[in-house]
Structures are given as C-alpha cells and as structure tokens.
Amino acid sequence: MAKRFCIVTAIPYVNAVPHIGNTLTNLAGDVVARYRRLRGDDVWYVVGTDENGLKIKEAAEKAGRDPREFVAEIAGRFEAIYRGLGMSYDDFVRTTSERHARTTQALFLKLQENGHITKGTYEGWYDVSTETFYREEDLVDGKSPDGNEVRWVQEENYFFRLSAFEEPLLKLIESGEMRIIPETRRNEVVSFIRQGLRDMCISRRNPGWGIPVPGDESKVIYVWFDALINYLTTSGWPDNPDWAEIWPADVQWLGKDILTRFHATLWPAMLMGAGLPTPKALVAHGWILLSGEKISKSKGNVVPPLELAQELAERSGCAPEIAIDAVRYQLLSTMPYENDGNFSYEEFDRRYNSDLANDLGNALNRSLAMAHRFVGGVVPDAPLEAEAREAIGQALDAYEAAMDDYRLERAAEAAWGLVRFLNKYIDTRAPWSLAKNQDPALGPVVRSMLESLAVASAMVAPYMPNTAQAIAEQLGLGGAPAWGALRGGALAPGGALNQPKPIFPRLDARKAAPAPAPQEQPAAKPKPQKKEEGPLPEITIEEFLKAELRVARVLEAEPLEGSDKLLKLQVMVGDERRQIVAGIRKNYNPLDLIGRQVVVVFNLKPATLRGTESQGMLLAAVDEDGGAILLQPDREAPEGARVR
C-alpha cells in the first residue's frame, strides 16, 4: 500500500480541560487533514493525551481519585471536546495504553542496543509542573525559567546520548529534510544546537506511575521521553509490519514552547539513534493571549471553545454547528506563527459580522437570489468570464502554496480574497442591469458568480466544514466540489439551485449588563393617547420639486446592529452607490430586497441613525399596523430615473 499522509499533533497533559489556546494545535492538524482529503490523499491524523507525568498522579491523589480512573475520565472529556469542535482524527493515542507502553519500551531497548543509552548518577533540580530537569545555572531566583517551584533530585538514572547528535541534527535541519516552520523558530533551534547539546536524563525513580524501564522495574521512563514516542505508537511500530505506511509524519504540529528542547532536538535524535525516519516538517505556532496574558487555568483566564460557540449561537441565532465553525475560523484564520496572537470577545464579534455575515453570507445570498431572479434558479450553460476565471486561479494558487507551507492564516486570506472579489464582481457587473437590457453577458456573469462561490466553499471547507456543506446544498451539490474540478468548472450547467437560506444572522454588539432594577417601582404613568394626524398644509409644485426622487437598485441588505427595527441597505442610484438606513426590518426579509428596485429621496440631507450614516430615504406606504409597504416601479425602470 502507498504511504498515508500522516499528521500528528502535540499531546496535552490531562490535568486540565482544553481551552482555545491548547486546542489550536489540534484544530490546525484537522484543517490540514481535511484539505489533504479534498486533494485525494489517504490521510492518517492523530491526536492524544499525555498521562504518565508525576504531576498527573499528584493531581489525582489530591482529588482523592485513582490515577487510572482520573486520567480516563479527563481523556474522555478531551475526546468529547475534540469531536464537538469537528476534529476528524483517525487515532487517539493515550500514553497509559498498553500499545504505547510496548512501543516506548521497544524504542528504549533499540537505543540501548545501539549504544545511545547509558547509566549514571543524576543530580539536579526537577520542575514537576513542566516535568523538566534543570541545572543550577538554569534557575531564576531559585525557580525554574517558567517560575515554578523545583525539587532537588539525586539518584542513579539512565541517560540518552543527545550530545552525539549535534551535527546530524544540524544536517537534518539545514538540508531541509526536516523542515521547521516558521523560519524564526528554525533559526532558534539551529542556534540552540550550536551552543552544544548535553546528554539527557531519561528515567526517574519509580513512584508507582509511568512506563517501567525494561529490565529495571525500579525506574520509570522520563515522561518527556515517553510522551514523544506517542507519534510513533500510532504506526504500530515495531509489531505492525506495515508501520511504514504511516510513519514518518508528514507534518507535526505543536506550540512554540515545546519545540526547541524537545520536538526539534530530542525527538529526531531519538529516531535517528534507533535508525527510524524523522518527521518531514515541524510547525510551531505561537500562543493565544487574552488581555496580553497566556491563557491558562491557573490564571483563571480560560476561554472554553464549546461554551464560546454555544454563546454565539444563542446571541446570533445561527445554528449550533455553524457557531462551531465560527470559532474554528476565528482561531485558525488568525493563527499566530512568528508572534503571539490575542483573543478578545469584541474582535470575535467583529470578525463574525465582517467576515462571515457580511462577506461570505452576502456573497452566498446575493449570488443565489439573483440566480433565481434572473436565470430561473439553474446554473447557466455559459462560459466563465475571463475576470472570474483569473480570480479563481489566483486564489487557488495562493491557497495551495500556503497549505504546502502550512501557513493556515495565509490560506484563509486567499479564500476570503475570492469571497471579496465575488462581492465586488457582483457590484461592477450588475446582473440586474444585464437582465433588464437582455444582455447576453447575463449567463456568463451569473455562471461566474456561482462558480466563484463553489470554489470559495471548497477553500472554506477545511476551516468550516458545516458551513461548506450548507453552501454546497444551496448550490445543489451533495458536498464540497472535487478539488480537481475547481479550475475547470465545479457546477454542472443546468443544475438546479436551491433557495438561499441565510447562514450567518448578524450579531448585535456586546452590551453591558443592565443595571439592577430598584426594589420599589414607581407606578407606571399612563401612556398619552396618540393624536390623530390632521391634514398637512398645501404646498406648491415648486416646493414639491425640491425633493429629488430617484429609482434605485438594492445591492445589499442586512439588519443594523443594535436595532430590531432598522435595516442597512446599499443601493445604486444611477452610477452612484449609497447607504440608506430604513425602519422596515419587521416587514421585509433582507434577502428578499436584494436586486429589487425602490424609490428613494436622493437629495435628502444625510442623517446618522444608531451611529450609522443614512444617505437618503426610501418611499413607502403605511399599512393598518403602521408597517412599511415599499413603493417600486410596476416594471423595470432605468437606473437612477427621476420620479415625478
């Protein structure tokens, strides 16, 4: 069998539940896995949990729990959250499993057999929190470099001859055989190795928890040495004769803090010492900060991803699975590489509205609404316009290059570049005008709109699988279009389109909590009776002509943030685009207004409503309930025509 495309991700300790910071690694792996599957690869994507550390045993004892039951329960929580976030992994490796113990002990024996493990006495400081040994000169004010308490350890242990691998590691990295991304992290690793590597203590006294050293039950294998081997465990080495179908990993995702000392030096040295292939690429991302601080349970600034999605669904009214997608998109499209990222609830809301509701939502709603209005709700049997074909090709080129470099934020930007192109293309090509004039370009334009949308949905799919599926269904497809068809035409001419259904309801800005009501409420004042409107004074024809009334075309429509009555419209009046805020939300679905002609007061002085400028006013009749009935020509009128 051909080798699978193998993706492995750093495994977290099970002493806390996941948050948006420590799920980023796994979400990144999932995006690559979904993308490679779209490309036709046989993917093997692995996650897991690190359960053998001393601090985990101590956490279980502090909770009065049996360690095995304790880690099993928390590992189950990790799996539930990973599945809840839509991670499509193929294997979940727990380091307390029998298969992992077998692989770990087999690798230990292989390194011992090859002369890379020796026995000696270790004296030094041990940070239980990070499971790391430190020399005296490494300490900062008597604590580890991370600020944690340390314990003095003096015992006979086993050592791995890491110092023997300085030159092989440099050759491995500098030749590109093992890529390190981004470049800044690669430079840090190379600098660290050139300062000199020292042999590493890889065992400790057996506390009744961990994987015993083979042939010496008095010792357990050091948790960092053991945890790294989980990536190899998934292949079934050495028992599975087909282990090479999975290993080596094509890409290994991890956080920047565990790259230099462990994943880019110790881990590849262990593999080379055992005569096994090393990972092809290591990608180390930055941290997500909250108010400038690293997210951690101890600081009390944890943002749970599923709770964040649930809150979004409740506040916006979007489907729960779409809210999950929105969380995935936010984290992955802003994924930090060279520097750390920063999460804020306000920015989360802003990007939901701007990128999802405005950009992607409008592109979908406008394209489908106009296809139904102007071409009968089917994919036109017409060629793509050159402008759209070029935009699609450029977006795919940029997307594929970014994915090959594992730069997920750049790939997301390429996808949104196509979405923004589509919205601008609709404005400039004006299919409503083509339809009115029976222009033969209408078919190619609508086909170009729909194909751009189909390609964008495929590019979005690894980040937002539920959203991509919803778009595909509205396009009349069973799922994301085949990647190989994206450049030549993903939609079959004559294919029936489904009715557009808004996916991303616009989200109101976060509001401060209301002040508590006073204990004693004053009696409610009676509402004044509404006065009947009397006749208005007569005006002359000259006074009436001061109001310049024009025919306009609605391009976009969406609820105005913070109001349950107002809609914000983008309209074309002749060659001029304007924004109008109108109190018609209770009577009109925004989607139904797109492409419609209306009558506006063109020379009305601009006004600001709810912080948004309105550059005109719609004309409407008033129904018996005070609602609006928009006025419109009884047949298509020239764009910008005067109304007299």
Side-chain angles (χ1 to χ4, degrees):
M1 291 179 63
K3 183 189 176 302
R4 293 180 167 186
F5 191 95
C6 179
I7 304 162
V8 297
T9 55
I11 55 174
Y13 285 122
V14 292
N15 64 333
V17 294
H19 51 71
I20 61 170
N22 57 22
T23 55
L24 184 60
T25 302
N26 310 97
L27 285 171
D30 185 62
V31 169
V32 176
R34 289 179 179 275
Y35 169 68
R36 299 308 310 191
R37 291 189 191 109
L38 284 175
R39 299 301 304 268
D41 290 332
D42 185 6
V43 171
W44 189 254
Y45 166 42
V46 188
V47 298
T49 44
D50 182 358
E51 305 174 9
N52 285 322
L54 178 59
K55 68 177 181 180
I56 294 169
K57 177 177 181 290
E58 293 180 349
E61 291 172 344
K62 185 177 180 180
R65 303 284 303 280
D66 174 82
R68 287 201 171 274
E69 293 178 359
F70 179 78
V71 297
E73 179 183 314
I74 299 182
R77 292 183 199 168
F78 273 74
E79 276 214 85
I81 291 174
Y82 289 171
R83 289 298 188 191
L85 287 170
M87 296 183 197
S88 57
Y89 52 86
D90 301 287
D91 194 12
F92 191 102
V93 177
R94 295 181 55 195
T95 60
T96 54
S97 65
E98 290 185 10
R99 62 168 175 157
H100 177 67
R102 286 197 304 273
T103 301
T104 299
Q105 291 181 327
L107 189 66
F108 188 99
L109 289 171
K110 187 66 174 177
L111 289 170
Q112 199 171 43
E113 176 187 326
N114 292 348
H116 297 302
I117 291 180
T118 59
K119 205 169 186 181
T121 301
Y122 177 79
E123 290 186 352
W125 296 98
Y126 187 65
D127 178 354
V128 175
S129 181
T130 61
E131 305 281 3
T132 307
F133 293 105
Y134 290 104
R135 296 173 294 186
E136 185 76 35
E137 57 268 32
D138 295 329
L139 302 184
V140 179
D141 297 328
K143 296 184 178 181
S144 76
D146 294 318
N148 301 319
E149 298 293 335
V150 293
R151 304 175 184 177
W152 179 258
V153 176
Q154 181 177 6
E155 59 188 33
E156 187 177 51
N157 273 314
Y158 293 88
F159 289 79
F160 173 63
R161 294 179 60 245
L162 181 60
S163 59
F165 290 90
E166 288 182 13
E167 289 305 317
L169 283 169
L170 288 172
K171 182 179 178 182
L172 181 72
I173 296 167
E174 293 175 342
S175 68
E177 186 178 345
M178 185 178 77
R179 299 165 61 196
I180 298 178
I181 300 168
E183 185 74 12
T184 52
R185 307 283 175 231
R186 176 190 178 278
N187 295 339
E188 291 171 3
V189 171
V190 169
S191 175
F192 176 78
I193 295 172
R194 285 180 173 158
Q195 292 173 20
L197 299 177
R198 57 190 174 95
D199 294 347
M200 180 170 286
C201 179
I202 59 168
S203 69
R204 58 185 307 280
R205 181 183 56 80
N206 189 345
W209 186 253
I211 299 175
V213 169
D216 187 352
E217 293 284 331
S218 69
K219 301 286 188 295
V220 292
I221 296 173
Y222 173 42
V223 64
W224 262 110
F225 192 89
D226 134 41
L228 291 165
I229 299 171
N230 92 91
Y231 310 124
L232 184 61
T233 296
T234 190
S235 72
W237 182 90
D239 302 327
N240 179 11
D242 299 324
W243 63 269
E245 292 175 7
I246 291 176
W247 193 260
D250 290 271
V251 60
Q252 186 167 318
W253 287 90
L254 59 143
K256 67 176 185 178
D257 50 328
I258 55 176
L259 172 71
T260 302
R261 294 191 58 174
F262 299 108
H263 287 78
T265 49
L266 175 60
W267 175 225
M270 290 162 57
L271 292 167
M272 287 191 287
L276 296 171
T278 56
K280 296 179 183 179
L282 302 176
V283 187
H285 59 79
W287 295 335
I288 295 180
L289 308 179
L290 184 65
S291 301
E293 290 190 327
K294 185 182 178 183
I295 294 174
S296 72
K297 183 180 178 182
S298 61
K299 292 180 179 178
N301 62 351
V302 168
V303 181
L306 295 185
E307 284 84 344
L308 180 63
Q310 181 181 357
E311 184 204 19
L312 174 63
E314 292 171 352
R315 293 174 58 229
S316 70
C318 71
E321 66 273 15
I322 298 300
I324 292 290
D325 276 4
V327 171
R328 287 172 57 105
Y329 170 73
Q330 169 79 359
L331 297 177
L332 294 161
S333 64
T334 59
M335 188 165 183
Y337 285 81
E338 287 81 8
N339 302 303
D340 294 329
N342 193 62
F343 175 87
S344 74
Y345 290 99
E346 294 76 16
E347 179 66 6
F348 178 77
D349 288 359
R350 188 195 69 78
R351 286 182 66 89
Y352 172 88
N353 279 336
S354 65
D355 293 10
L356 302 184
N358 289 359
D359 291 342
L360 184 56
N362 269 345
L364 171 65
N365 298 338
R366 298 172 77 194
S367 297
L368 285 172
M370 292 184 193
H372 279 279
R373 188 181 296 270
F374 301 134
V375 297
V378 298
V379 179
D381 187 1
L384 271 69
E385 290 203 317
E387 180 184 2
R389 189 177 296 278
E390 181 181 0
I392 288 171
Q394 290 177 348
L396 286 171
D397 288 344
Y399 186 92
E400 291 169 359
M403 281 296 192
D404 287 345
D405 284 338
Y406 304 109
R407 296 298 300 235
L408 304 189
E409 86 291 20
R410 295 175 185 171
E413 182 56 34
W416 252 257
L418 182 60
V419 172
R420 294 178 185 120
F421 159 80
L422 175 53
N423 279 316
K424 184 177 180 182
Y425 177 78
I426 293 171
D427 292 344
T428 56
R429 294 300 283 130
W432 50 88
S433 293
L434 300 177
K436 178 183 65 176
N437 298 322
Q438 297 184 333
D439 193 315
L442 177 64
V445 167
V446 175
R447 176 69 184 273
S448 297
M449 291 160 51
L450 296 172
E451 288 289 350
S452 297
L453 183 61
V455 174
S457 74
M459 297 167 75
V460 165
Y463 298 81
M464 307 179 72
N466 301 301
T467 299
Q469 180 63 32
I471 294 174
E473 289 173 358
Q474 293 187 40
L475 288 171
L477 301 173
W483 198 267
L486 296 181
R487 294 178 190 268
L491 301 173
L497 303 166
N498 290 316
Q499 288 293 331
K501 296 178 181 178
I503 298 175
F504 301 105
R506 190 167 177 83
L507 183 66
D508 287 340
R510 291 177 187 264
K511 302 180 178 68
Q519 292 184 353
E520 294 186 8
Q521 296 286 351
K525 295 181 179 180
K527 293 183 179 180
Q529 294 293 321
K530 186 176 181 180
K531 294 181 179 179
E532 293 291 331
E533 293 184 359
L536 295 175
E538 293 181 341
I539 62 172
T540 65
I541 185 65
E542 289 79 12
E543 290 174 314
F544 171 76
L545 290 177
K546 289 181 180 179
E548 184 177 352
L549 307 181
R550 296 280 194 97
V551 173
R553 176 84 63 178
V554 179
L555 303 181
E556 299 176 17
E558 62 181 354
L560 182 68
E561 186 175 310
S563 171
D564 59 359
K565 297 180 180 179
L566 302 176
L567 291 182
K568 182 172 69 173
L569 310 179
Q570 303 295 328
V571 303
M572 288 296 295
V573 188
D575 296 328
E576 184 176 342
R577 179 172 177 139
R578 288 199 176 185
Q579 177 172 281
I580 294 179
V581 178
I584 59 174
R585 182 171 178 177
K586 291 185 177 180
N587 298 88
Y588 288 92
N589 184 323
L591 190 59
D592 294 335
L593 296 173
I594 296 173
R596 176 173 175 166
Q597 285 193 325
V598 292
V599 178
V600 302
V601 181
F602 186 68
N603 63 336
L604 188 68
K605 184 178 180 180
T608 300
L609 303 175
R610 290 293 183 100
T612 301
E613 185 179 45
S614 181
Q615 302 163 326
M617 183 174 68
L618 302 184
L619 292 191
V622 180
D623 65 20
E624 60 276 10
D625 297 320
I629 303 173
L630 288 177
L631 303 187
Q632 68 180 98
D634 65 356
R635 60 186 176 88
E636 284 287 314
E639 297 292 327
R642 293 286 298 266
V643 177
R644 298 180 183 274

